[in-house]
Amino acid sequence: MLTLDGAGGGGQILRTALSLATVTDTPVRIEEIRGSRPDPGLKPQHLTAVDLVAELCDAEVDGAELGADSLTFRPGSARRPSLQAAVGTAGSLTLLFDTVLPIAATYDEPFELTATGGTNVKWAPTIEYQQLVKRPLLADWGVDATIEVSETGFYPAGGGEAILRTTPGSLSPIELETRGALETVEIYSKASEDLADREVADRQASHAKAELESADFPAVVQRVEYVPTKSTGSSLLLRGVYEQSMVGVDALGERGRTSEAVAEAAVQEFTAFHATDGAVDVFMADQLLPFLALAGGRVRIPTVSAHVESNLDVISDFGSDLHLDRQVDGTAVLKASPLSGIE
């Protein structure tokens, strides 16, 4: 059994471990789960991920309960084609999609997951980021997936719902060392219906466009929408479309933060990324690691975040020869060959 130290990172260590354990049929014990966090142990959304993957593959699990700091996961051979999961309140459902997608990408039959919870919440990719950045980027390397949003869920009530569907494909090495020239920055702005009178989504979009154009970036407003939700909220996604890649930057509205401030924060983050030679954004760098372990390849990332470092440790423990070559310009190139036994 493989023993992993979960103290050095957050829930991403758990999610990556569950994904790779299932794909490689490796029993794992994870200790000191989220040990470095102020509130260590399993929280509801982490426990939901464990229960979901256990149901997916008919795993044997010991120690999976709220607050637990360790658990044992023995994957089974089952691969269920359709599942449902409820995170509760505004726990992120997109993190559930992150957990199961590397597994579903190796399926030889269609897969569907319906999840409820938060779609646009802090500390997690928004559902638009997954739909419009991650999904199309992975499609170039053989991951055939779609994401359908039924309801948007903001903090604190959540209540969002989305469906992840995959069809069988053939993973190929991910080659993203260069991004090419910037073609455009697309703007996607969303707010709850109760913010329509204040034109929150419109203001986020128009101010982001003005800020981008003042920085000499080509920009276009692709979508502005007001949606029914259980909690008031707003979100903004900037999708940078480059010749050979795409990146995403999102920002959330919150009480006391103006629409203009939301837009400015997103534009500042995009500007900072564009100043690097990274081929993907810092969040995608972390999310691509399980797929690099499965398919191999080379990806230039803008910086080595703590999430990337902790994820690298987990993947190395599974036997990957994934390497990190730091560059003089501050970027780094991730290089990997497929894990043994992965077709």
Side-chain angles (χ1 to χ4, degrees):
M1 177 175 292
L2 179 63
T3 300
L4 303 174
D5 182 3
Q12 186 59 50
I13 290 179
L14 175 69
R15 291 186 290 272
T16 298
L18 292 171
S19 299
L20 295 184
T22 302
V23 173
T24 63
D25 193 26
T26 303
V28 296
R29 178 170 176 78
I30 311 169
E31 300 180 339
E32 298 296 324
I33 296 171
R34 302 178 64 252
S36 63
R37 297 296 192 259
D39 54 345
L42 291 174
K43 299 304 174 187
Q45 70 180 31
H46 308 122
L47 185 58
T48 303
V50 174
D51 291 342
L52 171 62
V53 180
E55 183 181 3
L56 183 153
C57 69
D58 196 20
E60 295 181 9
V61 183
D62 296 319
E65 57 186 41
L66 285 177
D69 61 4
S70 63
L71 66 85
T72 300
F73 182 89
R74 297 178 179 87
S77 58
R79 292 294 184 271
R80 302 191 190 283
S82 179
L83 293 170
Q84 295 185 348
V87 183
T89 64
S92 172
L93 66 81
T94 62
L95 293 179
L96 295 181
F97 289 175
D98 279 348
T99 308
V100 301
L101 188 56
I103 305 169
T106 66
Y107 265 33
D108 57 6
E109 62 181 73
F111 172 77
E112 179 177 302
L113 169 62
T114 301
T116 58
T119 61
N120 298 67
V121 294
K122 284 186 175 181
W123 321 122
T126 64
I127 198 69
E128 286 78 24
Y129 181 94
Q130 286 194 331
Q131 281 183 309
L132 300 169
V133 183
K134 183 175 184 176
R135 186 205 59 77
L137 195 64
L138 286 174
D140 289 339
W141 315 106
V143 181
D144 188 0
T146 61
I147 297 174
E148 176 187 336
V149 182
S150 305
E151 300 285 345
T152 294
F154 291 117
Y155 179 85
E161 180 177 284
I163 304 173
L164 170 68
R165 296 186 178 94
T166 65
T167 55
S170 180
L171 295 178
S172 58
I174 301 171
E175 300 293 343
L176 280 171
E177 277 202 81
T178 59
R179 67 192 186 211
L182 177 66
E183 296 178 348
T184 188
V185 182
E186 298 174 348
I187 301 166
Y188 299 84
S189 184
K190 177 168 71 173
S192 52
E193 285 182 334
D194 59 318
L195 296 177
D197 289 345
R198 293 161 55 188
E199 299 183 330
V200 167
D202 295 89
R203 287 162 48 208
Q204 286 179 165
S206 61
H207 195 67
K209 186 174 188 295
E211 290 287 300
L212 287 164
E213 290 178 340
S214 69
D216 294 326
F217 293 124
V220 59
V221 176
Q222 288 288 91
R223 187 169 72 210
V224 175
E225 59 181 335
Y226 295 91
V227 295
T229 62
K230 292 184 176 180
S231 291
T232 298
S234 72
S235 67
L236 176 69
L237 173 72
L238 307 182
R239 181 169 77 164
V241 181
Y242 292 85
E243 289 178 323
Q244 299 170 43
S245 186
M246 64 177 61
V247 303
V249 169
D250 49 29
L252 297 176
E254 56 187 304
R255 187 178 298 275
R257 192 183 196 190
T258 66
S259 302
E260 290 72 22
V262 172
E264 288 167 9
V267 172
Q268 288 171 8
E269 188 174 336
F270 178 79
T271 301
F273 164 79
H274 186 76
T276 76
D277 287 326
V280 298
D281 60 76
V282 66
F283 303 106
M284 187 62 67
D286 186 43
Q287 295 177 45
L288 282 181
L289 283 171
F291 296 94
L292 279 172
L294 297 178
R298 299 162 63 94
V299 177
R300 184 183 292 270
I301 63 177
T303 187
V304 181
S305 67
H307 274 202
V308 166
E309 289 184 329
S310 59
N311 227 354
L312 281 170
D313 289 340
V314 174
I315 291 170
S316 296
D317 287 339
F318 276 91
S320 172
D321 66 348
L322 198 153
H323 299 288
L324 180 69
D325 290 344
R326 297 176 186 267
Q327 309 295 300
V328 295
D329 62 359
T331 64
V333 177
L334 296 166
K335 304 177 183 178
S337 298
L339 279 166
S340 60
I342 302 298
E343 298 181 356

